Amino acid sequence: MKRLFLFFILLLLCPWMLRAQGDSLIRIGTPRTDLILRLSPEGKLCQAYLGPRLANEADLKQLPAGKEVYYAYGSKDYFEPAVRVTHADGHPGMQLDYVSHEVRPQSDPNVTLTVVTLRDKVYPVEVKLFYETFARENVLKMWTEISHREKKPIVLHEGASALLHLSSRAYYLSAFTGQWGGEAMMNEQKLLPGKKVLDTRLGARAAMYCSPLFMLGVGAPASENTGEVLLGTLNWTGNFRFLFEMDSRHDLRLIAGINPYASEYHLPSGEVFRTPEFVCTMSDRGTGQASRDLHDWARNYQLKDGHGDRLTLLNNWESTGFDFNADTLKTYIRKSADLGVDMFLLDDGWFANKYPRKNDKQGLGDWEPTHAKLPHGVQELVAEAGRAGVKFGIWIEPEMVSMRSELYEKHPDWVIRFPDREPYFYRNQLVLDLCNPAVQDYVFGVVDRLLSENPSLAYFKWDCNSPITNPMSPYLKDKQSHLYIDYVRGLYNVLERIKQKYPDVPMMLCSGGGGRCDYGALQYFTEFWASDNTGPVERIFIQWGFSQFFPAKSVGAHVTSWGKQSLKFRTDVAMTGKLGFDIDVNKLTDAEIAFCRQAVGNFKRLAPVTLEGDLYRLVSPYEGQHAALMYVDKAVDKAVLFTYDLYPRRGAEWIFPVRLAGLDPAKMYRVEEINLEPGVDVVAWKENGGVFSGDYLMKVGLNVLTERCENSRVIEITAQ
Ligand code: GLA
């Protein structure tokens, strides 16, 4: 009783204390962006401003009152709330008042964490808002913690990671939508009064149709080098929702978080519900700057082994499919060495005995090598790789199960499905119930066993080909609405255990191509597979889309036999991401092997530029005729320019000099075409070998484009 009394006294005092300190404003931001919160006379915390940093401290007090930072259902508000609960006694409403805020010291001076506490006046429900800023990278990360002290569980219907308010004349939203083979297609639309939602309900392989990414042009359509733009993403490998609600006065409310669809959460007293992090950056110099900031942030703080090397590789999926044996693979291993790549990656089809994995209809779940194909197991292949001087990596899809598998026969209760209906399938498989700790142990065990049996196994490609189908968890019993959330939490438990025990093993995130592409997963993965579509022209678009958010070193890009374009064109496209090959090496001529080997050498030599440097997108493929992009190293001494002539129309008006970017105007640079195929006719380029000032290159540009369809160039640019 005494504690309750104190609680209420504190509650009444806190808003007053904030004002008494002359501190009714909370300034959260970076040297380039301001998010200003302000306490209203009624004790509500409101967002007074979000935008480019305000130059004069004195101006802050002139800011309008703003709107509540985290509207609860039941407050005086007529739009979508950030949080909605039903209290233990059935009461549906909540009103959140400001209680306190603190700036928590961090060991890294670049990072500031501000924590704001809000509380309901009547019920003991508390919401903490976390704002973490990364000063150098101009990135803001937001999440919330929701908890309560009611006698029984409350139902959390929705609890956003963040709510932001924007006020401008117009907004232009770019989504990254697609499907298998056509991921991250960028499409922009002007927002109109009403709601626009980007979301997914697929559970696993969550981003198959819509990636958890958006760009919002504020005031004008987002453009590469000018204008205000907000880039946002959610660190969550499951159902997400970005909701944009514009009122008739053109004020915009942006709510980001877990998709509340079919996901009411029963939250026991004392348990903290932590939402995933919403990550955003705001640029007033277009999307190019925003992407570079996100890339830096990812390498510095989020991506697994963000500054580490990446392994170039040869994969066998595209050329062998399921049809291989130990001898086939040994040839591939030796050819990996000929290509000069670091590793051979064995794909699907190596496992299961009762129901051998000879096609995609069976075997998932039984992770022992198929005796008939690999009589001496994986060990023999790892040893062969050792002899050839390359590393060995392996494909797994440990979250999934085939009905024709020993795992399914032994543990039908480990599988997400309705007990009373015929299951429906995606790629003939079902999803394991990762809500169940026993299943988590099993999935961890797949990796753990492979690594204990083969300690020099160097890499995993972790696939996830099915969304959650037949959505019912045998483990969750009467808490089925926890499925989509607990699945992802279960997945993270497993990935965290792997990271703890094997911190240095690189892993590729794959999901039937790019069906998972989020920074939540990427804290456990060194890269993700952008798409099974490796046709180089489509790939230019797919990689262009992902480049808005992800640095090159995190985007897996392989040279394959998709498309009829030259080997050079395919290689020049793959070299703008993390280079690999997935090609029938037995069909390559000696000259082609020599070309690939040279390209791998160039890629490795230039890795400090492409993988660690700054990306400048110069000519968008969406313009239709050409594409061009370049990377510049942090010292601005070295750059690499990639240009692609897609389907240029005839006539000089379609050819223009490509102006470079990001160089030092005062430095002199030598430009030189590399990655040439010996003996192959190329369009002559007169400027090759010339020395130009950075100023010239950025104002006049290089005449590198051609009228030839599907032609490409790689230009190395070196300060003299
Ligand atoms: C998915 C992946 C492919 C390949 C196959 C194997 O589709 O995206 O790269 O690994 O699975 O079945």
Side-chain angles (χ1 to χ4, degrees), residues 633-692:
D633 76 342
K634 293 287 180 187
V636 202
D637 279 337
K638 188 77 146 177
V640 198
L641 167 69
F642 295 87
T643 64
Y644 308 98
D645 305 306
L646 303 175
Y647 304 111
R649 293 173 59 195
R650 281 199 79 73
E653 69 266 38
W654 308 111
I655 303 296
F656 47 88
V658 175
R659 288 189 193 172
L660 308 195
L663 299 174
D664 181 340
K667 283 185 183 163
M668 299 302 290
Y669 294 91
R670 185 183 166 79
V671 298
E672 195 188 356
E673 184 164 6
I674 59 167
N675 256 25
L676 290 164
E677 286 172 295
V680 172
D681 166 42
V682 289
V683 182
W685 175 43
K686 293 203 193 89
E687 292 150 332
N688 198 5
V691 175
F692 303 88

Side-chain angles (χ1 to χ4, degrees), residues 347-415:
D347 215 283
D348 195 356
W350 60 268
F351 51 89
N353 283 298
K354 184 167 177 190
Y355 304 103
R357 181 77 171 164
K358 58 181 184 199
N359 55 38
D360 65 13
K361 296 194 171 57
Q362 61 185 47
L364 281 178
D366 300 346
W367 299 101
E368 318 84 36
T370 308
H371 304 316
K373 272 185 186 171
L374 309 176
H376 306 290
V378 173
Q379 274 106 332
E380 185 193 12
L381 302 171
V382 178
E384 181 70 19
R387 279 190 291 278
V390 292
K391 294 180 193 286
F392 187 88
I394 200 160
W395 179 97
I396 50 173
E397 195 180 5
E399 296 161 72
M400 302 286 154
V401 63
S402 309
M403 280 189 85
R404 282 168 67 79
S405 69
E406 290 184 77
L407 181 69
Y408 188 86
E409 287 172 352
K410 235 187 274 162
H411 294 291
D413 55 322
W414 280 8
V415 178

Side-chain angles (χ1 to χ4, degrees), residues 317 322 347-348 357 395 427 461 463 465 510 512-513 529 532:
W317 173 248
F322 297 98
D347 215 283
D348 195 356
R357 181 77 171 164
W395 179 97
R427 211 194 188 210
K461 175 178 175 184
D463 214 334
N465 276 296
C510 177
W529 182 230
D532 282 341

Side-chain angles (χ1 to χ4, degrees), residues 173-177 184-189 198 210 213-215:
L173 175 68
S174 293
F176 296 73
T177 52
M185 293 294 121
M186 294 167 62
N187 52 78
E188 184 180 76
Q189 57 184 281
L198 300 177
C210 182
L213 317 168
F214 71 85
M215 306 196 310

Side-chain angles (χ1 to χ4, degrees), residues 65-92:
K67 296 186 177 144
E68 268 188 59
V69 289
Y70 201 75
Y71 275 115
Y73 175 80
S75 341
K76 188 175 177 221
D77 177 50
Y78 307 104
F79 298 92
E80 186 79 17
V83 60
R84 178 162 85 89
V85 304
T86 300
H87 298 283
D89 62 3
H91 189 296

Side-chain angles (χ1 to χ4, degrees), residues 252-460:
L252 184 76
R253 177 177 300 196
L254 155 58
I255 295 179
I258 291 177
N259 190 349
Y261 170 76
S263 294
E264 298 81 31
Y265 211 88
H266 300 258
L267 189 67
S269 178
E271 191 173 309
V272 175
F273 188 95
R274 187 185 197 274
T275 67
E277 296 147 352
F278 172 64
V279 174
C280 67
T281 182
M282 259 197 127
S283 156
D284 57 359
R285 276 172 287 159
T287 49
Q289 184 60 51
S291 299
R292 287 186 287 281
D293 286 329
L294 277 176
H295 296 178
D296 280 339
W297 169 80
R299 282 182 296 236
N300 292 339
Y301 294 101
Q302 190 71 16
L303 180 64
K304 180 171 183 193
D305 200 14
H307 285 290
D309 290 340
R310 291 296 183 268
L311 297 169
T312 53
L313 59 87
L314 172 66
N315 189 197
N316 66 310
W317 173 248
E318 288 294 332
S319 47
T320 68
F322 297 98
D323 184 17
F324 56 80
N325 60 28
D327 288 339
T328 334
L329 299 179
K330 284 184 190 166
T331 311
Y332 271 73
I333 289 170
R334 289 191 290 268
K335 293 276 182 175
S336 307
D338 293 348
L339 285 176
V341 294
D342 301 304
M343 179 173 64
F344 171 70
L345 169 63
L346 169 58
D347 215 283
D348 195 356
W350 60 268
F351 51 89
N353 283 298
K354 184 167 177 190
Y355 304 103
R357 181 77 171 164
K358 58 181 184 199
N359 55 38
D360 65 13
K361 296 194 171 57
Q362 61 185 47
L364 281 178
D366 300 346
W367 299 101
E368 318 84 36
T370 308
H371 304 316
K373 272 185 186 171
L374 309 176
H376 306 290
V378 173
Q379 274 106 332
E380 185 193 12
L381 302 171
V382 178
E384 181 70 19
R387 279 190 291 278
V390 292
K391 294 180 193 286
F392 187 88
I394 200 160
W395 179 97
I396 50 173
E397 195 180 5
E399 296 161 72
M400 302 286 154
V401 63
S402 309
M403 280 189 85
R404 282 168 67 79
S405 69
E406 290 184 77
L407 181 69
Y408 188 86
E409 287 172 352
K410 235 187 274 162
H411 294 291
D413 55 322
W414 280 8
V415 178
I416 295 176
R417 62 165 293 191
F418 300 122
D420 54 349
R421 288 163 209 260
E422 276 303 300
Y424 58 91
F425 300 100
Y426 195 96
R427 211 194 188 210
N428 313 305
Q429 61 198 52
L430 294 171
V431 183
L432 288 174
D433 186 4
L434 272 174
C435 307
N436 182 344
V439 176
Q440 294 170 22
D441 287 346
Y442 161 81
V443 175
F444 169 75
V446 173
V447 172
D448 195 33
R449 212 180 57 230
L450 277 164
L451 279 172
S452 16
E453 286 169 5
N454 307 282
S456 38
L457 203 60
Y459 183 88
F460 285 95

